[in-house]
Structures are given as C-alpha cells and as structure tokens.
Amino acid sequence: MTHLVALDRFNHYLLSMLIHGVNLQRGQSLMIFGNTQDKALIDHLTELALACRAKTVMRLYYQDYVSMPIQSLVDKAEEGWAFLKLNLFERFVNEDDQSAKMDAFSAYLKPLSAYSQHGKIQSCSSVIPSVSWSTHVFPELSESDAVERMKEELIAAGHCDLNNDLNQVKAHTHRLKASVLRLNKSHLTALTFKSQTCNLTIGLH
C-alpha cells in the first residue's frame, strides 16, 4: 500500500509539471528535452501528456541535440508547441570541460530561449529523479535510496502531497507572490546558489 501511495504522489508531481509548469492545453503539441538514461521515465511522462489530450509528444535527447537544427525548434515554437526541459544541464555534471559544454548548449538553445523570455511560448524547466542526478545530490546514499530521496524532495518542493487542501495551496501561492514582489523591489541582476556540490548563478532580466 505504501508503494502505491508513493507512486500516486509522484505521478501527481509529474502531472503538475505538465498542467501547471508547462500549462499544456488540450490539442497542443509538446516537445520534451531529456537525457537518454531517463528514457523510461520520459516515456511515462509522454503517456501522461497524451492522457492530458496532447496532440503530439516529441522527445529530443540532449545527447542528440546537434542532430536537430535549432530552426526546426523555432518553427515549432511559431506553430504553438509547448516545451518541457528536464534536468537541463545534468549531462554535463561529470564531464570534462563542463563550463564550455554548458555554454555551447546554451548558445544552441538561445533562439528558442528568446521566445520563452518574451512569453511567446509555453516553456518549463523541471527536474526528474534520474540516477546520476540523485546520486550527485545525495552521494552518501545508494542509487535506489538516492532516487527515492530525490522523489520525496521533489514532491515536497512541488507541494504535490495528496493531503494538501485548497487552503494550503492558496497559502503557498500567497508566499510565492510575496517573494516575487520582494525580489522585484531589490532590483537584483543575478542570483547565486551555492552548496558543497553546486555553484550556480542565474542572471535576471
């Protein structure tokens, strides 16, 4: 019974990613970016998207991204496709020359990112509990325990516990809006996140 409850809660997280993150609409086409090692989970996410009445779901794996000209993605953006990017820079975590490879991939996506930054497309970047990412975040745990721990952290961060009621959701939304106002008033140009395993700076426009 515990396994079924955990599965339902995680599916709730995945559905929230599609419905609230991407804002996927009935009859809309979806492009999912992901890593080949996460194919099974991406296949499951594809099934959920089709169950939500997506017209078409296309998957592009980061390892093969150079095989698709960026203009093809821009054309899909013009056609009204939605985009979901999963574990965006995970594939670079343990590679040599990590920074240069991340910069090259960002440059590839830049024409598409411009659409997202100006609100012209529905686009969402999110996280799924892949083995490599989970063990990178929780190196002290075994692979299976790290993945389960990552699932629980994602469910908690996404407030996807099935016990949440409408008042809890409203309270969380209020906190998010208050945080947005506070950040806007600060006129920040960048945010930096640091930990033992992370040093990430995100520019703000």
Side-chain angles (χ1 to χ4, degrees):
M1 186 66 178
T2 302
H3 174 71
L4 291 176
V5 171
L7 180 62
D8 287 343
R9 293 169 67 233
F10 184 58
N11 274 318
H12 189 194
Y13 169 76
L14 295 177
L15 283 171
S16 294
M17 189 189 302
L18 294 169
I19 297 170
H20 304 298
V22 179
N23 190 25
L24 184 64
Q25 302 296 306
R26 181 187 294 263
Q28 187 175 28
S29 295
L30 173 68
M31 170 72 76
I32 300 178
F33 296 85
N35 294 288
T36 53
Q37 66 179 32
D38 304 324
K39 184 179 184 303
L41 191 49
I42 292 172
D43 286 346
H44 178 59
L45 192 57
T46 298
E47 292 175 0
L48 289 177
L50 293 172
C52 291
R53 301 294 187 269
K55 179 181 179 181
T56 305
V57 179
M58 186 174 180
R59 287 156 287 191
L60 177 63
Y61 295 103
Y62 298 131
Q63 289 82 351
D64 304 323
Y65 77 88
V66 292
S67 65
M68 177 172 284
I70 187 61
Q71 187 58 45
S72 297
L73 298 180
V74 171
D75 290 343
K76 285 176 169 47
E78 292 281 2
E79 294 167 9
W81 282 54
F83 296 84
L84 174 59
K85 292 167 281 190
L86 301 171
N87 296 28
L88 192 53
F89 292 115
E90 175 191 339
R91 66 181 292 258
F92 303 114
V93 167
N94 296 314
E95 293 190 15
D96 295 332
D97 199 16
Q98 179 188 83
S99 180
K101 291 178 179 177
M102 289 176 67
D103 288 345
F105 186 58
S106 295
Y108 167 78
L109 285 179
K110 188 173 181 180
L112 187 64
S113 299
Y115 279 77
S116 179
Q117 291 170 359
H118 292 91
K120 294 180 179 180
I121 60 170
Q122 292 158 235
S123 178
C124 174
S125 296
S126 194
V127 177
I128 53 176
S130 65
V131 171
S132 64
W133 191 246
S134 299
T135 53
H136 182 75
V137 176
F138 304 109
E140 72 282 5
L141 301 179
S142 66
E143 283 190 0
S144 59
D145 287 345
V147 169
E148 290 305 312
R149 173 70 183 278
M150 179 64 83
K151 282 184 180 180
E152 291 301 318
E153 294 294 336
L154 292 174
I155 288 168
H159 295 263
C160 293
D161 194 310
L162 295 180
N163 292 324
N164 278 355
D165 60 27
L166 184 58
N167 288 331
Q168 288 178 303
V169 174
K170 287 182 177 179
H172 177 60
T173 301
H174 177 75
R175 289 193 296 271
L176 286 178
K177 289 182 177 179
S179 296
V180 169
L181 288 174
R182 186 169 64 253
L183 288 172
N184 284 341
K185 289 180 180 178
S186 299
H187 301 291
L188 301 176
T189 57
L191 293 175
T192 298
F193 301 86
K194 289 186 177 181
S195 71
Q196 291 182 343
T197 58
C198 174
N199 186 349
L200 174 66
T201 298
I202 300 175
L204 304 176
H205 301 281

